[in-house]
């Protein structure tokens, strides 16, 4: 009873419970943001870290929690609940978990409030940290993005477990006895996620050209509105914002204290892509039921049209301009998972398929777009991109090379390729020789590039043999005269540099050309039975060969 | 293996262990078992050990006058496993992480070199030091022991390995829930020490956090089924040196 507890202890206990509730909500929501959380230990007490744990306070979340609590504390019959749900890009939503902070009547009179209760609450928060990474919703939340988002809702009162479907499971995080009752923290989570993954399978991929607006305000019937587990400093609940770029930057700055934000989005649009991306998704699909859901997500993400990117990211000038100006119907988005710093690009070409492990695909931070491109690892990546796309349509190639421009690679001095220098693009050397000038110009010439290319082109045309660095004072690029090492002019009629320049752009392989490929696919399929028959005839030879290998 | 003690020494050792066991009456023991692939051993062990140590570490104590103390702040960070579909939370302390990685690395190497069926176990023991009078050295009295038994399986195909990634991830989730259940029982914990007793209860050697005094040992079950303990080996050497 209250008479057993002196007023100071009672006040302390109430304060502990209140802040425990607020910290519980922070831990749960932060665990569903989709990012790794990292906070620093500090040997000297700061006085502001409740329960001696470094748990950051996201203001919006605190605000929501306080609003839900409305000055009350969890008590018997009045539980504080955090509901985590998933909402797909099509507007379907599904409850995943309900975290409940409850109080029951079982009192522990002997326990010391200021000491034991506080320490046990601290231990309970640590347990919560561990358990939040262990429920199925954690892995889903790590993969959220354009396909779906994770939302949270805080309410106070009776626990509502109806939305979790049949057969939901409960895990108890812990209990702490206090003189006024026993605090219990538990989680009820849905296990019937299977229907979600099969739904995604059956739906015809991909999502093409859909602008996904996550934050359409869906007023929840009887209680507080849902909130996305994406932190925005702009706060104010229902503003429609674009999650892909700016929000992830916000998440980075609040959640990460040690890892640098090294994530980039490269948008490349393909003008001649005839076959729909199901080709891509098929090859990326791993024949494993459990994993297939995630792969479907990541591959569908590849086809997301980043219209949202165009609005907020002033620094990503090149990709956005391409997306707008090219009028492509089948955009592709290459995403660089940069979580561990410099993980290679996730190419959309089946041959490079390591998508099986690309779970941690992240979106870009606009201000870091340029920064990322300047790092050596990304320069390798962009070269990979341009190399891998040699088989594609030529304007695509040029797009890629223009993107490479951001890295500031050196420019080859064109000796005998006069035709290409008249192209109004930088890195004319890298463009394939069968490029038609008329086609190239309107498609690949973004409005703002001529100003920056002309000094470069000017210096290319006007300069003789010496490296024309003088014309480049306003450029970011350093022009180096291409003199390969150890090459001499007198030994062979053709020197190494000339050889290199002549043969560095071989013609496309006909089998890799998409046009031809698309048209002949039907023919290929038709000829398959004949090929199989031929192989069957030679089966004995094949068997003998295999035997020699063993 | 030639340095193993002969039976006579083993007997001496056994009696010493029995003597020590007498003090183990209040020690609770928890056993966890996992079956993993060779390359998952390290991460699985680190996940379990870090989760236990997360619960058994506090911030650094700063004693003020009159026996009161304030406690530093413990930070946490998420660690993604490379070979398991799993993420665990550990205390943000590079020193602690290094220490654990070192011993887990030794365990992994010993498992690999044992050539047996790949059975081994690691023990994380929390203890208190009790000062003894001269000439006896301080006693270490364990109050909680966590044992993780590992069974290493070898898989043939990539598909099996993919399944193993997920399965082991799910198993580890269960283990974490088990650990949290045990922690939640609020059973015996050493009482908070005075400043002079701090080193008898806590490991004060780390810069940023303060776990309870702990020691980690491991043993590999070799092909014959008899178990071999590395800490035993050191004890034997010490005994013989006397």
């Amino acid at each position: 009873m209250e008479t057993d507890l002196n007023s100071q202890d009672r006040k302390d206990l109430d304060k502990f419970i209140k802040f425990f509730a607020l910290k519980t909500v922070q831990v749960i929501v932060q665990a569903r943001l989709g990012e790794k959380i990292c906070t620093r230990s500090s040997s000297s007490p700061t006085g502001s870290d409740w329960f001696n744990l470094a748990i950051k306070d996201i203001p919006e979340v605190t605000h929501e929690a306080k609003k839900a609590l409305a000055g009350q504390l969890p008590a018997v019959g009045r539980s504080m609940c955090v509901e985590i749900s998933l909402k797909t890009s099509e507007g379907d939503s599904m409850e995943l978990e309900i975290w409940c902070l409850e109080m029951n009547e079982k009192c522990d009179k002997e326990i010391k409030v200021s000491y034991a209760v506080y320490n046990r609450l601290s231990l309970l928060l640590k347990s919560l940290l561990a358990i939040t990474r262990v429920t199925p919703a954690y892995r889903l939340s790590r993969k959220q993005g354009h396909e779906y988002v994770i939302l949270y809702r805080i309410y106070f009162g009776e626990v509502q477990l109806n939305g979790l479907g049949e057969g939901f499971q409960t895990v108890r995080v812990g209990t702490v006895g206090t003189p006024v009752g026993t605090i219990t923290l538990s989680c009820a989570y849905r296990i019937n996620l299977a229907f979600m993954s099969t739904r995604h399978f059956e739906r015809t991929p991909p999502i093409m050209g859909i602008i996904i607006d996550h934050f359409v305000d869906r007023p929840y019937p009887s209680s507080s509105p849902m909130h996305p587990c994406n932190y925005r400093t702009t706060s104010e609940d229902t503003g429609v914002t674009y999650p892909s770029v700016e929000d992830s930057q916000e998440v980075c700055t609040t959640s990460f204290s040690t890892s640098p934000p090294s994530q980039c989005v490269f948008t490349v649009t393909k003008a001649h892509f005839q076959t729909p991306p199901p080709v891509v998704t098929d090859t990326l699909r791993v024949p494993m039921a459990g994993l297939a859901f995630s792969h479907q997500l990541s591959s569908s993400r590849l086809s997301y049209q980043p219209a949202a990117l165009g609005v907020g990211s002033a620094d990503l000038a090149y990709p956005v301009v391409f997306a707008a100006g090219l009028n492509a119907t089948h955009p592709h988005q290459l995403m660089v998972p940069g979580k561990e710093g410099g993980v290679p690009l996730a190419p959309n070409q089946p041959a490079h398929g390591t998508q099986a492990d690309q779970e941690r695909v992240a979106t870009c931070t606009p201000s870091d777009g340029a920064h990322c491109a300047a790092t050596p690892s990304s320069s390798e990546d962009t070269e990979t991109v341009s190399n891998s796309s040699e088989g594609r349509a030529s304007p695509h190639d040029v797009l890629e090379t223009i993107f490479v421009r951001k890295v500031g690679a050196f420019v080859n001095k064109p000796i005998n390729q006069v035709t290409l220098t008249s192209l109004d693009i930088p890195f004319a050397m890298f463009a394939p020789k069968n490029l038609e000038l008329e086609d190239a110009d309107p498609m690949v010439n973004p409005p703002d590039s001529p100003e920056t290319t002309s000094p470069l082109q000017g210096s290319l045309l006007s300069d003789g043999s010496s490296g024309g660095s003088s014309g480049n004072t306003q450029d970011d690029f350093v022009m180096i005269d291409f003199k390969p090492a150890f090459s001499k002019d007198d030994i062979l009629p053709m020197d190494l540099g000339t050889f290199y320049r002549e043969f560095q752009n071989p013609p496309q392989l006909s089998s890799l050309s998409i046009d031809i490929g698309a048209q002949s696919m039907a023919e290929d399929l038709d000829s398959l039975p004949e090929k199989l028959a031929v192989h069957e005839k030679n089966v004995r030879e094949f068997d003998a060969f295999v035997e020699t290998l063993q | 293996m030639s340095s193993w003690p002969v039976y006579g020494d083993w007997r001496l050792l056994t009696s010493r262990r029995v003597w020590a066991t007498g003090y183990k009456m209040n020690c609770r023991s928890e056993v966890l078992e996992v079956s993993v692939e060779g390359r998952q051993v390290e991460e699985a062990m680190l996940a379990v050990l870090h989760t236990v140590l997360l619960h058994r570490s506090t911030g650094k104590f700063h004693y003020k006058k009159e026996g009161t103390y304030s406690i530093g702040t413990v930070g946490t960070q998420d660690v993604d496993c490379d070979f398991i579909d799993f993420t665990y939370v550990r205390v943000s302390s590079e020193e602690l992480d290094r220490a654990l990685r070192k011993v887990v690395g030794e365990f992994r190497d010993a498992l690999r070199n044992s050539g047996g069926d790949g059975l081994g176990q690691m023990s994380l023991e929390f203890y208190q030091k009790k000062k003894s009078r001269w000439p006896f050295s301080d006693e270490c009295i364990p109050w909680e022991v966590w044992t993780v038994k590992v069974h290493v399986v070898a898989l043939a195909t990539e598909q099996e390995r993919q399944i193993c990634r997920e399965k082991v991830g799910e198993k580890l989730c269960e283990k974490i829930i088990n650990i949290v259940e045990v922690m939640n029982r609020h059973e015996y914990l050493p009482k908070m020490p005075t400043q002079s007793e701090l080193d008898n209860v806590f490991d004060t050697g780390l810069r940023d956090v303060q776990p309870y005094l702990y020691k980690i040992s491991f043993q590999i079950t070799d092909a014959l089924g008899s178990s071999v303990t590395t800490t035993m080996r050191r004890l034997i050497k010490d005994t013989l040196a006397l």
Side-chain angles (χ1 to χ4, degrees), chain A residues 274-522:
Chain A
Q274 299 287 346
T275 56
V279 173
V280 176
T281 56
D282 281 343
T283 56
L284 294 177
R285 195 177 295 167
V286 177
M288 309 266 304
L291 273 182
F293 176 47
S294 59
H295 293 307
Q296 186 67 19
L297 291 178
S298 53
S299 53
S300 301
R301 205 178 295 145
L302 286 174
S303 50
Y304 166 53
Q305 179 175 6
L309 270 180
V311 179
S313 49
D315 291 343
L316 278 176
Y318 287 104
V320 169
V321 168
F322 293 161
L326 279 166
N327 198 22
T329 52
H330 300 282
H332 262 252
Q333 181 175 7
L334 299 174
M335 306 177 82
V336 179
K339 297 250 168 155
E340 313 303 325
V343 175
L345 199 63
N348 54 4
Q349 197 177 8
H352 290 256
T354 48
Q355 293 295 47
D357 290 336
Q358 294 297 348
E359 289 188 326
R360 307 165 207 151
V361 188
T363 52
C364 185
T365 58
S367 60
D368 281 340
H371 168 71
C372 283
T375 58
S377 57
S378 347
S379 68
E380 286 162 16
D381 295 342
T382 47
E383 277 168 17
T384 315
V385 169
S386 47
N387 287 341
S388 68
S389 59
E390 264 171 358
R392 306 267 158 78
S394 35
H396 179 70
D397 267 344
V398 184
L399 286 180
E400 305 261 60
T401 57
I402 290 179
F403 202 78
V404 170
R405 175 177 192 238
K406 257 198 163 300
V407 179
F410 54 83
V411 179
N412 279 339
K413 189 164 62 71
I415 295 177
N416 41 8
Q417 299 184 2
V418 181
T419 51
L420 286 175
T421 55
S422 57
L423 268 183
D424 236 2
I425 46 170
F427 299 94
M429 297 305 305
F430 292 104
K433 292 189 184 165
N434 53 1
L435 187 62
E436 289 213 41
L437 302 186
E438 299 92 288
D439 286 350
D441 271 351
M443 295 186 78
V444 307
N445 224 350
D448 53 339
S449 63
E451 295 83 53
T452 43
T453 55
S454 46
L456 198 62
Q457 291 299 321
S459 57
L460 277 174
L461 292 169
S462 61
D463 270 343
S465 53
S466 58
S469 54
S470 54
N472 289 7
T473 43
Q474 64 263 52
D475 256 338
D476 294 337
F477 305 99
V478 173
M479 183 160 137
I480 301 172
D481 194 14
F482 187 67
K483 284 211 168 109
F486 309 116
S487 72
K488 287 183 195 164
D489 283 331
D490 49 356
I491 293 183
L492 291 168
M494 183 193 287
D495 81 333
L496 184 60
T498 326
F499 174 83
Y500 182 77
R501 276 191 289 276
E502 275 204 27
F503 292 104
Q504 72 178 349
N505 287 313
Q508 302 172 28
L509 288 176
S510 60
S511 58
L512 289 181
S513 158
I514 292 293
D515 292 348
I516 301 172
Q519 285 156 16
S520 67
M521 185 141 102

Side-chain angles (χ1 to χ4, degrees), chain A residues 91-102:
Chain A
D92 297 320
S93 78
M94 180 169 77
E95 274 177 37
L96 296 177
E97 304 173 316
I98 312 258
W99 296 83
C100 308
L101 180 61
E102 299 167 300

Side-chain angles (χ1 to χ4, degrees), chain A residues 514-537:
Chain A
I514 292 293
D515 292 348
I516 301 172
Q519 285 156 16
S520 67
M521 185 141 102
E523 294 165 10
D524 284 342
L525 284 173
D526 287 339
S527 66
L528 270 179
E530 295 161 13
K531 288 186 186 162
L532 278 173
V534 168
H535 291 318
E536 270 181 30
K537 262 199 274 177

Side-chain angles (χ1 to χ4, degrees), chain A residues 39 41-43 126 133 142 175, chain B residues 57 62 73 76 80 92 184:
Chain A
T39 56
S41 301
S42 158
S43 66
K126 290 175 185 169
R133 275 63 175 172
R142 287 294 296 270
T175 60
Chain B
S57 301
H62 297 273
T73 302
T76 57
D80 287 334
S92 286
N184 177 56

Side-chain angles (χ1 to χ4, degrees), chain B residues 6-205:
Chain B
V6 295
Y7 185 63
D9 290 340
W10 185 259
R11 215 172 22 179
L12 167 67
L13 211 56
T14 318
S15 60
R16 188 172 165 159
R17 264 175 77 76
V18 167
W19 170 69
T21 311
Y23 286 83
K24 274 194 185 184
M25 285 188 297
N26 284 332
C27 174
R28 65 177 164 269
S29 172
E30 306 294 334
V31 180
L32 304 164
E33 293 191 36
V34 284
S35 274
V36 293
E37 217 196 337
R39 60 185 186 167
Q40 295 170 323
V41 169
E42 212 174 335
E43 287 175 337
M45 296 309 303
L46 283 171
V48 170
L49 295 176
H50 268 303
T51 303
V52 173
L53 278 166
L54 168 70
H55 289 83
R56 292 286 179 248
S57 301
T58 71
K60 300 280 286 178
F61 281 16
H62 297 273
Y63 284 91
K64 298 182 273 209
K65 53 185 188 219
E66 289 161 17
T68 59
Y69 59 91
S70 57
I71 311 180
T73 302
V74 172
T76 57
Q77 61 188 76
D78 291 336
V79 182
D80 287 334
C81 294
D82 293 324
F83 301 110
I84 314 174
D85 285 345
F86 187 69
T87 302
Y88 61 91
V89 182
R90 69 166 174 93
V91 166
S92 286
S93 166
E94 294 308 316
E95 289 172 280
L96 185 62
D97 190 38
R98 267 199 301 270
L100 286 188
R101 281 181 187 272
K102 182 161 175 282
V103 71
V104 168
E106 289 171 11
F107 174 64
R108 176 207 59 210
D109 293 338
L111 257 183
R112 200 183 296 157
N113 299 334
S114 71
D117 14 341
L119 280 172
Q121 65 183 51
M122 286 195 87
S123 293
L124 169 59
E125 181 183 292
F126 292 100
Y127 64 95
Q128 270 179 277
K129 266 199 258 186
K130 191 172 165 206
K131 298 270 185 226
S132 300
R133 274 189 241 255
W134 183 91
F136 300 106
S137 56
D138 295 341
E139 284 173 50
C140 296
I141 306 168
W143 51 270
E144 188 174 74
V145 178
W146 294 85
T147 306
V148 188
K149 296 193 172 166
V150 175
H151 176 220
V152 180
V153 296
L155 298 174
T157 70
E158 194 56 40
Q159 191 164 352
E160 284 178 18
R161 283 195 201 104
Q162 282 292 350
I163 299 177
C164 191
R165 272 186 78 101
E166 296 167 34
K167 284 270 163 67
V168 172
E170 287 165 21
K171 278 288 164 194
L172 282 178
C173 290
E174 288 173 30
K175 301 304 161 196
I176 302 301
I177 295 177
N178 293 346
I179 294 172
V180 163
E181 260 178 284
V182 172
M183 297 295 179
N184 177 56
R185 287 184 214 148
H186 300 302
E187 289 170 342
Y188 172 77
L189 279 180
K191 62 177 196 253
M192 288 299 156
T194 57
Q195 191 167 11
S196 52
E197 292 281 302
L198 185 65
D199 288 314
N200 294 339
V201 176
F202 286 99
D203 178 353
T204 52

Side-chain angles (χ1 to χ4, degrees), chain A residues 134-206:
Chain A
V134 145
T135 53
Y138 180 71
R139 301 218 71 80
L140 281 177
S141 68
R142 287 294 296 270
K143 296 173 204 161
Q144 68 180 299
H146 309 298
E147 181 80 9
Y148 62 88
V149 280
I150 303 291
L151 308 176
Y152 73 92
R153 179 171 78 94
I154 309 173
Y155 62 90
F156 194 72
E158 290 241 359
V159 184
Q160 298 155 17
L161 296 175
N162 312 331
L164 291 176
E166 283 179 15
F168 62 86
Q169 288 197 356
T170 323
V171 61
R172 194 164 78 161
V173 182
T175 60
V176 172
T178 75
V180 300
T182 300
I183 296 170
T184 308
L185 186 52
S186 59
C187 172
Y189 58 93
R190 169 188 282 273
I191 50 170
N192 191 12
L193 292 166
F195 95 94
M196 265 228 69
S197 41
T198 49
R199 264 189 60 222
H200 275 266
F201 271 139
E202 283 150 17
R203 185 191 47 200
T204 49

Side-chain angles (χ1 to χ4, degrees), chain A residues 46 55 67 89 101 113 121 131-132 139 174 200 207 221 224 236 240 262 298 320 367 381 403 435 437-438 463:
Chain A
T46 57
I55 298 172
K67 214 165 69 168
S89 54
L101 180 61
V113 170
L121 288 174
I131 297 284
T132 43
R139 301 218 71 80
H200 275 266
I207 312 168
S224 49
E236 285 347 283
V240 171
S262 55
S298 53
V320 169
S367 60
D381 295 342
F403 202 78
L435 187 62
L437 302 186
E438 299 92 288
D463 270 343

